[in-house]
């Protein structure tokens, strides 16, 4: 019998629609029921590709005995953290304050007015039943103690991201950056890349920032470490060597065995990272990563309307990674005489290179040159045979039961992917990348715009239901700037400006330089929070600050520039204490130190010159131009012939006709 989730838009909620638990979606009906019946609320939060969410559902939420206990004493609310990150932020903070850790599934028990009193993550069935009984008894017999817990926790949530917003002026130098870079370097894994711990997440904005520093300071040691990290991620099991695309994280320190779900937000950002890294190094393996990941995006993650789906599950047939792993016997049978070379190339063994599961997951530990020497063939022959072998395995894999697809479409994640495709287009001048980005932007324009100038966050089966949050606006503004820099079509900047002004009106905190995560049009929760930490996805405030800097330069808008400066000033003390958690902010700081080149390309052959210029990795630039344009920076720069103008700090150098001459003015 279906519960209250049968009409939900979220695939995660729909997965629970036939549980015996009487789940409700977050909304007025459930919240009013809790107050009317004076019952504790269970807010249970997860997402469709979450392995341990599935485990807890199977062990507890599908069990009639457990469900009876939950239904008797609690109003049970299911939340998809990807649709409602505002709710997730609040109760994740509560659980972290209570336990010192967090994650998903996230289970938080609240008073009928939504204030939390207890919580945790995954619980085995018997532990869960004990907690349910104990909490119900506690609330019935000690309501005053429950109220006291709620007061303290709610105060902690409301104070958790308070910053000291001073008016002190500070001059930023490379010494400012080195002050937090040196302690960060002590956490590097100089053997396997990334941080010296497990699990390992890709964290694209960490490596993007460090790549920028390496380029702008010519720090060869840092450059080598960033390259090591990118090489290890791409050769490890985090990367799907058959289908393209990256998994969410590696459970070990060698990037070998991933948590197998694939998330759109990771792959959109990793497109940017590897495209920029190709411009930086010319490494052909980075180009292959980009092309294969875009193929995966087109083949498996794109809707008929041009939107990008959210995620692929880790599990199939109830087993994590089953779709992606192989026994040696399977490979030997499929590949025949080419199996020994393939097995050596991808570290396949009889016992299995994934020892715990006695199976194999493709990863590389030896260069193609070593394989070629061992088998007495050329490197070209190795790559040809590997390509053919992968096609054979792919044909077999395509017959397997596929992991579940989370087919909701989210504005922010789609926008991150537009940016990734734009950076791929800039690196490789492949029109297919720009066309895919433009089709997705058209999808957003047709389906996620609201009549009042705002946005919707979600789309599924032709329907939208949730107001956009700050990350949706910030990521889309960023994407529109990226599209402008690929096309020089100023309508994209005008749209970016309109969205920025909407954010200014509806999200700005009057008492700080920051923007709230939720709009003033949204329902009031127990706290209205900022998003400040750069996680796997950068903080929406750091993206907005970078947007304001770029738009301020492109539009010569001093108010935008001052706002970006004020936001950065308030966060610099935090960067110094935890640099890896503020790396997108640190990129803005690096621009303040090094300055930003404003490169205008005008005239009939602007596109040819733009493409040539984009082959060079220049992290601290904006680019603009065309045959005509109305931007202030383009005033007096249309002089008939094709010219390149390099400007910085309100000063332009003499126009030149060749990209090589312009690069001499930059480097």
């Amino acid at each position: 019998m279906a519960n209250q989730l049968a009409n939900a838009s979220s695939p995660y909620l729909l997965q629970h629609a036939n549980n015996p638990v009487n789940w409700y979606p977050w909304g007025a009906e459930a919240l009013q029921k809790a107050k009317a019946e004076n019952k504790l609320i269970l807010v249970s939060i997860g997402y469709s590709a979450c392995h341990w969410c599935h485990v807890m559902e199977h062990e507890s939420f599908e069990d009639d005995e457990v469900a009876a206990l939950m239904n008797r004493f609690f109003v049970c609310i299911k939340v998809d953290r990807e649709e409602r990150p505002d709710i997730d932020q609040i109760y994740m903070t509560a659980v972290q304050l209570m336990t010192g850790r967090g994650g998903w599934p996230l289970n938080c028990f609240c008073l009928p007015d939504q204030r939390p009193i207890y919580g945790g993550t995954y619980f085995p069935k018997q532990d869960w039943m004990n907690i349910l009984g104990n909490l119900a008894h506690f609330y019935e017999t000690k309501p005053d103690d429950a109220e006291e817990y709620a007061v303290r926790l709610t105060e902690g949530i409301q104070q958790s991201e308070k910053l000291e917003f001073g008016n002190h002026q500070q001059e930023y130098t490379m010494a400012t950056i080195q002050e937090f870079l040196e302690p960060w370097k002590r956490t590097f894994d100089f053997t396997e890349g990334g941080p010296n711990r497990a699990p390992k997440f890709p964290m694209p904005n960490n490596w993007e920032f460090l790549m920028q520093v390496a380029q702008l300071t010519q720090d060869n040691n840092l450059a080598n470490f960033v390259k090591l990290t990118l090489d290890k991620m791409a050769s490890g099991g985090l990367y799907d060597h058959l289908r393209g695309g990256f998994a969410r994280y590696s459970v070990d320190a060698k990037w070998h065995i991933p948590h197998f779900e694939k998330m759109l937000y990771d792959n959109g950002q990793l497109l940017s990272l590897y495209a920029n890294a190709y411009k930086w190094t010319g490494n052909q393996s980075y180009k292959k990563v980009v092309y294969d990941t875009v193929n995966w995006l087109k083949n498996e993650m794109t809707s008929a309307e041009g939107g990008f789906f959210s995620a692929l599950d880790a599990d199939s047939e109830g087993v994590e990674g089953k779709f992606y792993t192989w026994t040696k016997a399977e490979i030997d049978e499929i590949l025949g005489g080419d199996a020994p070379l393939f097995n050596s190339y991808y570290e396949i063994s009889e016992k299995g290179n994934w020892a715990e599961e006695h199976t194999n997951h493709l990863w590389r530990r030896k260069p193609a040159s070593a394989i070629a020497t061992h088998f007495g063939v050329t490197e070209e022959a190795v790559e040809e045979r590997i390509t053919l072998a992968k096609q054979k395995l792919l044909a077999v894999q395509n017959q397997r039961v596929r992991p579940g697809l989370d087919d909701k479409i989210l504005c922010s994640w789609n926008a991150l992917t537009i940016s990734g495709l734009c950076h791929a287009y800039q690196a490789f001048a492949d029109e297919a990348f720009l066309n895919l980005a433009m089709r997705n932007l058209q999808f957003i324009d047709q389906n996620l715009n609201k009549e009042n100038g705002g946005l919707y966050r979600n789309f599924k089966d032709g329907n939208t239901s949730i107001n956009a949050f700050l990350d949706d606006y910030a990521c889309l503004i960023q994407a529109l700037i990226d599209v402008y820099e690929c096309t020089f079509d100023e309508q994209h900047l005008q749209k970016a400006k309109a969205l920025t002004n909407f954010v200014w009106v509806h999200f700005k905190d009057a008492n700080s330089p920051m923007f709230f995560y939720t709009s003033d049009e949204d329902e009031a929760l127990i706290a209205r929070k900022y998003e400040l930490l750069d996680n796997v996805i950068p903080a929406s405030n750091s993206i907005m600050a970078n947007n304001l800097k770029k738009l301020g330069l492109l539009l010569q808008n001093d108010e935008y520039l001052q706002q970006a400066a004020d936001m950065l000033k308030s966060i610099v003390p935090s960067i110094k204490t935890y640099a890896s958690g503020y790396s997108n902010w640190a990129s803005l700081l690096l621009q303040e130190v090094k300055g930003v080149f404003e490169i205008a390309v005008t005239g009939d052959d602007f596109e040819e010159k733009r493409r040539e210029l984009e082959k060079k990795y220049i992290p601290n630039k904006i680019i603009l131009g065309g045959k005509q344009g109305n931007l202030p920076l383009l005033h007096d720069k249309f002089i008939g012939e094709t010219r390149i103008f390099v400007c910085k700090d309100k000063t332009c150098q003499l126009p030149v006709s060749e990209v090589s001459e312009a690069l001499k003015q930059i480097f």
Side-chain angles (χ1 to χ4, degrees):
M1 179 178 173
N3 50 41
Q4 311 301 315
L5 302 182
N7 296 317
S9 61
S10 158
Y12 174 65
L13 267 58
L14 291 171
Q15 288 170 2
H16 293 78
N18 292 305
N19 292 168
V21 177
N22 188 23
W23 293 114
Y24 286 80
W26 182 277
E29 183 181 3
L31 299 175
Q32 289 168 6
K33 177 180 172 68
K35 287 184 176 180
E37 299 179 9
N38 192 30
K39 282 186 175 180
L40 291 177
I41 299 170
L42 165 63
V43 183
S44 183
I45 304 173
Y47 58 100
S48 68
C50 167
H51 172 71
W52 287 102
C53 299
H54 299 327
V55 172
M56 190 163 179
E57 178 191 16
H58 177 66
E59 291 178 348
S60 295
F61 303 151
E62 293 176 353
D63 184 278
D64 289 333
E65 183 184 11
V66 176
L69 203 54
M70 293 171 67
N71 294 338
R72 179 182 175 188
F73 292 113
F74 304 92
V75 174
C76 302
I77 298 178
K78 257 292 165 200
V79 175
D80 182 338
R81 68 171 295 262
E82 296 166 354
E83 281 197 339
R84 293 300 304 267
D86 56 330
I87 298 169
D88 179 58
Q89 286 175 2
I90 287 172
Y91 295 112
M92 178 63 75
T93 302
V95 169
Q96 288 172 334
L97 288 171
M98 284 184 272
T99 68
R101 60 188 292 270
W104 300 276
L106 184 72
N107 292 289
C108 197
F109 294 89
C110 309
L111 297 182
D113 62 6
Q114 307 169 39
R115 291 178 299 157
I117 60 170
Y118 185 79
T121 53
Y122 164 78
F123 295 96
K125 175 184 171 181
Q126 195 55 54
D127 292 352
W128 183 243
M129 292 183 70
N130 291 339
I131 287 167
L132 295 172
N134 291 339
L135 274 174
H137 179 72
F138 172 72
Y139 184 55
E140 181 181 356
T141 59
K142 297 182 178 180
D144 292 342
D145 288 356
E147 172 67 22
E148 185 181 338
Y149 286 173
V151 168
R152 291 208 308 267
L153 260 179
T154 303
E155 286 176 352
I157 293 166
Q158 292 168 343
Q159 296 295 321
S160 63
E161 288 178 339
K162 290 291 184 183
L163 292 174
E164 294 295 327
F165 299 110
N167 293 315
H168 61 284
Q169 296 298 317
Q170 181 176 354
E171 182 179 350
Y172 306 125
T173 66
M174 276 309 300
T176 313
I177 291 172
Q178 291 299 336
E179 186 180 345
F180 62 76
L181 197 55
E182 290 308 313
W184 189 359
K185 288 179 179 178
R186 292 196 287 272
T187 70
F188 290 174
D189 181 342
F190 289 99
T191 302
E192 299 295 340
N196 55 3
R197 63 177 184 272
K200 286 187 174 181
F201 288 79
M203 299 301 291
N205 65 86
N206 276 191
W207 315 119
E208 192 79 56
F209 166 68
L210 293 172
M211 184 165 65
Q212 293 168 5
V213 174
Q215 170 73 346
L216 295 178
T217 65
Q218 294 300 294
D219 184 333
N220 290 330
N221 289 332
L222 185 59
N224 289 336
F225 176 72
V226 174
K227 293 172 192 174
L228 172 71
T229 298
L230 299 190
D231 291 344
K232 291 290 187 177
M233 288 199 302
S235 61
L238 184 77
Y239 183 67
D240 186 342
H241 293 270
L242 290 186
R243 312 184 80 84
F246 289 83
R248 183 164 162 256
Y249 65 90
S250 166
V251 301
D252 57 80
K254 295 183 177 181
W255 305 104
H256 180 205
I257 302 302
H259 220 339
F260 284 86
E261 65 260 43
K262 288 183 180 177
M263 313 302 295
L264 180 66
Y265 61 76
D266 282 320
N267 285 282
Q269 294 179 93
L270 288 163
L271 281 178
S272 293
L273 178 63
Y274 278 90
N276 287 332
Y278 174 80
K279 291 166 65 170
W280 181 44
T281 65
N283 187 327
Q284 290 297 313
S285 69
Y286 298 166
K287 180 177 182 178
K288 181 168 173 41
V289 164
V290 170
Y291 271 81
D292 287 352
T293 298
V294 172
N295 283 336
W296 166 77
L297 183 68
K298 288 191 298 186
N299 294 336
E300 302 189 34
M301 300 297 287
T302 304
S303 75
E305 307 95 335
F308 298 132
F309 299 131
S310 290
L312 286 172
D313 206 336
D315 303 3
S316 56
E317 300 182 83
V319 179
E320 184 177 7
K322 184 173 183 179
F323 183 74
Y324 300 101
T325 55
W326 304 85
T327 64
K328 182 175 181 294
E330 286 177 307
I331 292 174
D332 289 346
E333 181 180 351
I334 295 165
L335 299 184
D338 276 332
L341 185 146
F342 185 91
N343 291 340
S344 179
Y345 193 90
Y346 282 117
E347 304 292 328
I348 306 300
S349 70
E350 194 74 50
K351 291 182 178 180
N353 61 35
W354 186 4
E356 293 84 354
E357 299 297 328
H358 309 292
T359 189
N360 292 281
H361 182 52
L362 304 187
W363 72 323
R364 294 187 59 193
R365 301 294 279 176
K366 298 186 288 286
S369 58
I371 305 294
T373 299
H374 180 76
F375 286 91
V377 296
T378 65
E379 286 187 47
E380 291 76 14
V382 169
E383 297 299 348
E384 287 174 6
R385 289 168 66 178
I386 290 296
T387 298
L388 290 172
K390 289 201 294 188
Q391 290 172 358
K392 292 178 181 178
L393 261 65
L394 195 59
V396 173
Q397 191 183 57
N398 285 337
Q399 303 306 310
R400 293 177 171 178
V401 175
R402 291 175 179 262
L405 172 69
D406 185 330
D407 62 351
K408 69 176 178 289
I409 295 170
L410 298 177
C411 182
S412 58
W413 298 7
N414 276 246
L416 287 171
T417 308
I418 291 173
S419 290
L421 289 165
C422 285
H423 295 144
Y425 171 68
Q426 290 167 340
F428 305 111
D430 189 327
E431 292 289 338
F433 296 157
L434 182 60
N435 291 340
L436 193 58
M438 296 304 294
R439 184 170 179 238
N440 187 248
L441 186 61
Q442 183 180 39
F443 167 86
I444 291 173
D445 189 54
Q446 291 175 347
N447 294 286
L448 298 182
N449 281 327
K450 298 180 70 174
E451 290 184 1
N452 68 349
L455 298 168
Y456 287 106
R457 176 172 180 80
N458 66 322
F459 177 94
K460 187 177 185 301
D461 298 332
N463 298 311
T464 54
S465 57
I466 300 170
N467 278 343
F469 300 109
L470 183 61
D471 59 333
D472 298 301
Y473 288 92
C475 292
L476 184 54
I477 293 165
Q478 175 180 258
L480 288 162
I481 296 169
D482 290 331
V483 169
Y484 168 75
E485 292 193 313
C486 290
T487 63
F488 292 164
D489 183 344
E490 291 180 13
Q491 69 170 331
H492 301 301
L493 287 185
Q494 295 309 315
K495 176 67 172 177
K497 180 182 178 182
L499 290 174
T500 299
N501 292 341
F502 186 92
V503 167
W504 203 283
V505 171
H506 294 286
F507 289 81
K508 196 168 187 319
D509 179 10
N511 299 312
S512 84
M514 297 299 172
F515 297 94
F516 288 114
Y517 187 72
T518 53
S519 164
D520 58 8
E521 297 180 326
D522 291 326
E523 65 173 305
L525 302 176
I526 62 170
R528 194 177 181 199
K529 294 176 68 64
Y530 312 122
E531 194 177 57
L532 301 176
L533 267 174
D534 293 324
N535 207 304
V536 174
I537 300 175
S540 46
N541 267 296
S542 74
I543 299 173
M544 274 306 301
N546 278 278
N547 290 342
L548 288 163
K549 174 74 172 182
K550 277 195 169 183
L551 283 175
L553 292 172
L554 287 163
L555 304 175
Q556 285 193 353
N557 186 316
D558 289 339
E559 189 176 23
Y560 286 0
L561 291 172
Q562 187 59 53
Q563 178 71 14
D566 290 345
M567 294 171 78
L568 179 63
K569 181 171 62 177
S570 69
I571 213 79
V572 165
S574 299
I575 303 177
K576 293 178 180 179
T577 62
Y578 181 31
S580 65
Y582 294 93
S583 52
N584 199 48
W585 290 105
S587 290
L588 181 58
L589 176 59
L590 183 63
Q591 288 188 27
E592 291 296 316
V593 172
K594 290 294 185 179
V596 177
F597 290 102
E598 302 150 3
I599 305 173
V601 186
T602 63
D604 289 345
D605 297 327
F606 76 89
E607 179 61 16
E608 175 190 339
K609 301 300 182 186
R610 185 201 62 76
R611 288 189 179 198
E612 186 180 351
L613 192 60
E614 286 289 11
K615 292 178 182 177
K616 188 72 175 177
Y617 180 54
I618 311 169
N620 58 330
K621 74 165 179 13
I622 57 172
I623 188 167
L624 62 159
K627 292 182 182 179
Q628 57 186 15
N630 297 310
L631 297 178
L633 288 173
L634 295 176
H635 183 64
D636 292 335
K637 290 185 173 62
F638 297 98
I639 56 177
E641 298 177 350
T642 301
R643 288 289 184 268
I644 304 168
F645 300 80
V646 176
C647 309
K648 188 180 181 185
D649 298 329
K650 296 184 169 63
T651 302
C652 293
Q653 300 189 50
L654 290 174
V656 295
S657 56
E658 298 299 328
V659 169
S660 59
E661 296 173 295
L663 292 175
K664 289 177 184 176
Q665 296 178 346
I666 296 170
F667 293 103

